[in-house]
Every structure is written in C-alpha cells, then in structure tokens.
Amino acid sequence: MSNTRVNPSAEELAARVERRGEFKNKERGQLPKIFWAEQEPGERVGNIREVPFAYTPMQARAEAVRCLSCKNEPCVSGCPVGVDVPAFLKLVADGDFRGAIRRIKETNLLPAICGRVCPQESQCQENCMVAKVHKDLGFAVSVGKIEAFLADWEREEGGVELPPVGAETGRRVAVIGAGPSGLACAGDLRRFGHEAVVFEAFHKAGGVLVYGIPEFRLPKDIVQAEVDNLERMGVRFEFDTIVGQTFTLDELFEEGFDAVYVATGAGLPYFVNIPGEDANGVYSANEYLTRANLMGAYRFPEEDTPVLRRDDVAVLGGGNVAMDAARTALRLGAKRVYLVYRRSREEMPARLEEVHHAEEEGVEFRMLSAPVEILTGSDGWVRALRVQRCELGEPDEKGRRRPMPIEGAYEELPVQIVIEAIGNGPNPLIPKTTRGLTTTRHGTLVVEEATMMTTRKGVFAGGDIVAGASTVILAMGHGRKAAGAIDAYLKAEAAGLPKPV
Ligand code: FAD
Ligand code: SF4
C-alpha cells in the first residue's frame, strides 16, 4: 500500500522538523517533497475507498517546512478565497495544528472537501515558488494535502470549532440547493444571526459532492460531517423539495422569507448529438454517477437502484466528470474502459491527479478521437462506438487548439455502454418559473458582481447556476459573498434605508 515515490525516513523527517528554524531559503527550497501513500491501482479498482492516504502528523510538518514564506504570497493570490497559505503552513511546521485549521477556516469553511477536490495545480500550487526552484509543478508544497490532513485531524481529535452564530435577527432567508454554494451561504447567514432554511431536491445535502464526485475521491462521511456542523449552527434543511415544482420561489416570499439565494447548480447534461444516442446502454455521466454514488448502485441488490454493468465502456469527455465516470465504471466491474476525447492530453481540463490515477488504474485514453455514431445491435442495445481521428488546428476563442477531423479516419470501439461527460448546463426550472430573473444565452442567471443579486430585488444567486459548470471553491466563494450582501440588504431594510441594489 504505497506509491512508487520514495520518502525520507522517519528519522530524516524528525530531523527536518527539528532543524526547521535553521534552514536558509535556498536549502529549504531543495528539500525533497514528502509524498503520501496511496492504495495500489490493482487493489483500489476492487473497492470504493479513498485512493490517497492522509499524511501522518510528522509528514505534514516536514512537508510544511518546505514553504519559503514568500513575502509576496503568490499562492494566496492563486486561491479563489485567499486562504493565508504561508501562515497556516508555518503553524503546521511548528506542530500547532489547531491554530493552523483555525487560520484556514477564517476564509474556507470546508477544508476537508477543498483539500481533496480543488484543482490546486492551477490555483495556489501553480504559483508556488518551490515549484519554480525545482522547475516542476509537481514539486510545489502540497498545500491541498496538508489542508485535508488538518481537517481530518481536527475531526478525529474532536473539538471541531464552529464559527460563532450571531444574535437572532428574526429575518428569514431561503437557500435553494444544498450544494457547496448553498451550504457556504447558509453557514454565513447563521453567523449574521439570520434564519437559514435550505430547500433541496434530493434526499441528502451536498449537491455534486454527494451525487457526482465518487466516494474514492471524497468520502461521503466527510461531507455529512460538514452538513452536521451547519445543522449544529442552526441551519435547517427541507429535503425532497423541488422549488419551481413543489412550490415556486414567489411562494417563498409570500410565506414570509425576506430574501432568497438560488444555488441550484448546473445539473442539466449536454449530449454530443450523434446518431444512436437513444440506444439502450447510453447514459449521461450525471445519471450514471448519481445512480452509483447517491443511490448506492455499487451495493445493488442490497440497495434498490441498479446501474448497468458490462465489460466494455466508452466515456466521452476529458474533464473531472469523465474521469469520475471512467474510474467508477472500472469499480463496477468493467474490464476495458476507453476515455474518448477530441483534443490532446494537454487540453484535458481534468485535475492532474485524476488523470494520473485514471491512467494507473488502466483507463485507455483515446485522444484526438471524436465520437460520430453509437452503433446498436438488432436488440436496440449499444454494440460499438464509432470515432473519427482528429488533428489539432488553430486555437479557438479560449486559446485551446481546435480538433479537426481527419477525412476517412474512422475506428470502431466495441463497447456495450457509452457514458457522455461532455459538460452540463444550468437547470432551467427556477428561471422559467420565477418572474423578474434574467438569464444569459447560456441559461445562467445574470447577477450584479459585487452583491450576487439577480435582476430581481431580494433574490441572490451563485455557484454553477451563475458561473456555469465551475469549481467547488468558486461556488463556495459566491455563497459567502452573497451571504454578506444579503446581510447588508436586510440591515438596510430594517433601518428603513434604501436597500443596496
Ligand atoms: P451543485 O453542487 O450542483 O448543487 C446544486 C444543488 O441544488 C443540488 O443538490 C441539486 O439537487 C439542487 N437543486 C437543483 N435544482 C433545485 C430546485 N429546483 N429545488 C431544490 N433544489 C435544487 N469541482 C472541483 O472543484 N473539483 C473537482 O474535482 C470536481 N469534480 C467534479 C466531478 C463531477 C462528477 C461534477 C459533476 C462536478 C465536479 N466539479 C468539481 C464541479 C463542482 O462540483 C461544482 O462546480 C460545484 O458542485 C457547484 O456547486 P453548486 O452549489 O453551485 O451546485
Ligand atoms: Fe510557501 Fe509556495 Fe506559498 Fe511561497 S508560494 S508562500 S513557498 S506555499
């Protein structure tokens, strides 16, 4: 149970921590990185347990010693919520874990989750000066792994500190959607002393954290522990409630809510639009992952929900969702899983760690391959995927080189399941059933950037319903910004002042 990278011995780790005050910056930047252990690929495809193991306390301290405490703090500007990275790493190096987690929570309420799923290599760790010394991004200080270690340490030690709840204001705010954005907003609303009621369509809180991201990347008891903390702060949850269907947003105001935060995410799957998509055996990644994760299909028949299990599976896409679907298919018993992506490896938007793990586990990457048809047998079930080879052309408006199909270069992949993971759009239900909201041509809600207020007074929005399919930390950042703006809005109303619009 280890990965192939060699770590310093226990004595060397202890010596590094002991000598931490003596290192000159140049020496510090040259200290070997501390790697975490992982389940072996052959073993882990047979279970759904988390792949990486946590740092030990001494490993976390020795890794934190590598931080150069850069004056200009490039890692802080790389973090969407501005976690004070050098400050918390210094506390970790000194062994003050309680102080370190407290420091992180000043800006990030969900460190156990962000430490695991944030794309650190393109955020805080991308700017890390240690990576520049080593000329390799992989050598950046492992900010995310240390963050996850601290959150786990705090949970296991007990005495998790909850943010203080403000004196009750008597003002009521409805939060629609219990994903990371809604949860972050609800937590902050309680800090301001407002009542926060979260309405969620599913029977569980967490949004993509529970229905999309699999257990082997983010254990669900970690998400549940964060939800429990919010309940202890007084956040109330109403499950199995689809706002726009069970009742409308307008009815929430009629019922006495003073403001609403819409955080309904981007759960509407896109399809490639090729012939054969209506065949048996074609899934959207959303449905496939929801069945496997939230509905527990990997435990079928002990659980009620099944999901199709076949030997050969093709997953379309190159993002985190595609990696999650491909790795889930392996865990559901597939013998061969193809990942079919139109561009090259460099353009893949997935987190580097997920790409690395997928490859280790045996997912076959079919780069520069565009799906053109799903072929079926006479029984209507999928029998193959037809792909066309591509080459890269000129960059598109986002700077990514366009895939250009090569004439006549076709290939058939013999598969019985096709999972489409090419992206998601915002759910249109709330915009369709609520007057006064404005959407962009992509269907996302238009908000005022400084306050996250929509074009309707008293209705705020954030997360994927505003940003399109984005990241956990950005969704949380929106939730916190909106909570601050809702507080200002309600205070202005109470004081009889014009509300900030
Ligand atoms: P969501 O998490 O989508 O939550 C929205 C919630 O609203 C859901 O619970 C939904 O049931 C509920 N809802 C919707 N409509 C209604 C309604 N009308 N009434 C009541 N409730 C409603 N990001 C990362 O940073 N790192 C990753 O590794 C990563 N991996 C991902 C893997 C997958 C499979 C997916 C799908 C996404 C991944 N993302 C990742 C993206 C990230 O999860 C999202 O950006 C983030 O969850 C958005 O948060 P949110 O709160 O806006 O929406
Ligand atoms: Fe430490 Fe790296 Fe941040 Fe510099 S950039 S303060 S070395 S984590």
Side-chain angles (χ1 to χ4, degrees):
M1 276 204 217
S2 68
N3 61 34
T4 50
R5 296 166 287 198
V6 180
N7 266 341
S9 66
E11 292 72 31
E12 286 167 327
L13 291 181
R16 184 193 290 189
V17 168
E18 189 64 27
R19 288 192 52 216
R20 63 189 181 281
E22 300 164 23
F23 291 115
K24 301 261 178 309
N25 259 2
K26 193 164 176 216
E27 258 179 298
R28 207 177 273 272
Q30 296 294 348
L31 292 170
K33 183 179 173 93
I34 310 298
F35 292 101
W36 49 93
E38 291 180 348
Q39 279 197 73
E40 294 290 356
E43 178 194 336
R44 68 191 190 227
V45 292
N47 65 61
I48 56 151
R49 291 194 303 277
E50 191 172 11
V51 170
F53 294 103
Y55 273 143
T56 63
M58 193 51 91
Q59 284 177 329
R61 290 186 67 184
E63 176 64 4
V65 170
R66 298 174 68 230
C67 175
L68 307 173
S69 301
C70 310
K71 288 241 157 24
N72 57 349
E73 303 186 330
C75 44
V76 180
S77 52
C79 170
V81 295
V83 168
D84 192 345
V85 177
F88 94 73
L89 289 179
K90 168 85 174 55
L91 291 163
V92 173
D94 290 344
D96 181 0
F97 298 152
R98 188 75 68 190
I101 190 75
R102 206 174 281 149
R103 198 64 185 249
I104 294 175
K105 283 189 180 173
E106 285 169 11
T107 43
N108 178 3
L109 278 183
L110 306 175
I113 294 167
C114 294
R116 285 173 166 84
V117 304
C118 271
Q120 286 102 7
E121 71 270 9
S122 53
Q123 296 181 346
C124 53
Q125 290 179 199
E126 182 178 27
N127 297 339
C128 179
M129 293 312 288
V130 176
K132 312 243 183 299
V133 175
H134 280 280
K135 310 253 180 288
D136 181 347
L137 190 53
F139 275 84
V141 177
S142 303
V143 179
K145 285 282 181 289
I146 299 177
E147 197 171 322
F149 157 80
L150 285 170
D152 293 355
W153 173 89
E154 189 193 33
R155 224 178 34 258
E156 280 154 25
E157 282 289 300
V160 172
E161 291 175 13
L162 296 180
V165 169
E168 298 296 338
T169 63
R171 313 313 301 273
R172 305 178 68 204
V173 184
V175 175
I176 309 178
S181 199
L183 296 179
C185 182
D188 272 10
L189 288 169
R190 291 300 298 141
R191 294 214 237 198
F192 295 122
H194 305 306
E195 183 181 336
V197 184
V198 183
F199 296 94
E200 167 56 47
F202 280 130
H203 59 282
K204 239 189 195 147
V208 170
L209 306 178
V210 291
Y211 80 74
I213 302 180
E215 176 81 16
F216 56 81
R217 251 188 347 112
L218 178 61
K220 301 307 156 221
D221 57 353
I222 288 175
V223 182
Q224 191 54 47
E226 302 292 358
V227 173
D228 292 345
N229 286 341
L230 290 174
E231 282 192 305
R232 284 165 56 206
M233 289 171 69
V235 174
R236 273 184 39 222
F237 289 91
E238 300 276 344
F239 293 115
D240 302 311
T241 308
I242 306 177
V243 179
Q245 198 165 302
T246 319
F247 44 75
T248 62
L249 191 150
D250 290 297
E251 285 171 306
L252 287 171
F253 281 113
E254 284 163 24
E255 217 190 87
F257 282 98
D258 299 294
V260 176
Y261 181 60
V262 181
T264 46
L268 191 71
Y270 292 143
F271 289 88
V272 192
N273 278 326
I274 52 175
E277 271 176 333
D278 54 352
N280 292 322
V282 180
Y283 282 102
S284 70
N286 260 31
E287 181 187 346
Y288 188 77
L289 290 170
T290 304
R291 281 173 179 268
N293 296 325
L294 185 68
M295 315 307 285
Y298 55 87
R299 285 194 301 265
F300 183 81
E302 291 107 84
E303 296 283 340
D304 292 337
T305 306
V307 70
L308 204 57
R309 295 170 186 244
R310 293 290 183 269
D311 285 350
D312 308 289
V313 177
V315 177
L316 316 184
N320 287 322
V321 186
M323 297 301 150
D324 285 342
R327 297 175 67 201
T328 298
L330 285 174
R331 284 159 176 80
L332 287 169
K335 296 198 170 59
R336 195 160 192 182
V337 177
Y338 301 99
L339 190 111
V340 177
Y341 183 56
R342 295 186 309 157
R343 293 182 161 92
S344 73
R345 212 187 153 91
E346 284 66 51
E347 284 85 27
M348 275 166 60
R351 293 178 73 224
L352 282 182
E353 188 175 15
E354 310 323 323
V355 176
H356 169 68
H357 281 157
E359 229 173 6
E360 272 189 342
E361 289 167 11
V363 173
E364 282 184 41
F365 286 13
R366 291 301 174 110
M367 301 290 100
L368 291 165
S369 298
V372 289
E373 187 176 2
I374 296 169
L375 305 169
T376 51
S378 53
D379 56 0
W381 285 84
V382 173
R383 68 168 179 83
L385 174 74
R386 195 156 192 248
V387 300
Q388 184 171 14
R389 298 277 305 147
C390 299
E391 57 194 359
L392 290 179
E394 292 304 310
D396 61 16
E397 62 285 352
K398 287 185 186 158
R400 292 194 310 172
R401 293 180 65 192
R402 280 176 216 276
M404 309 294 289
I406 304 170
E407 210 171 310
Y410 294 103
E411 186 186 0
E412 269 183 31
L413 305 176
V415 294
Q416 301 87 45
I417 298 178
V418 174
I419 304 170
E420 301 209 18
I422 59 154
N424 287 321
N427 191 322
L429 187 59
I430 299 262
K432 266 193 187 155
T433 55
T434 312
R435 62 189 161 77
L437 300 179
T438 308
T439 51
T440 65
R441 69 191 166 92
H442 304 292
T444 50
L445 284 175
V446 172
V447 295
E448 212 268 325
E449 208 189 314
T451 62
M452 308 307 290
M453 184 154 7
T454 63
T455 45
R456 176 164 169 185
K457 225 167 147 184
V459 179
F460 299 74
D464 282 3
I465 185 73
V466 167
S470 169
T471 59
V472 171
I473 191 76
L474 264 171
M476 282 176 47
H478 279 179
R480 300 203 69 193
K481 199 205 284 188
I486 292 171
D487 181 56
Y489 173 85
L490 295 177
K491 278 190 179 133
E493 191 183 54
L497 297 170
K499 292 173 187 167
V501 284

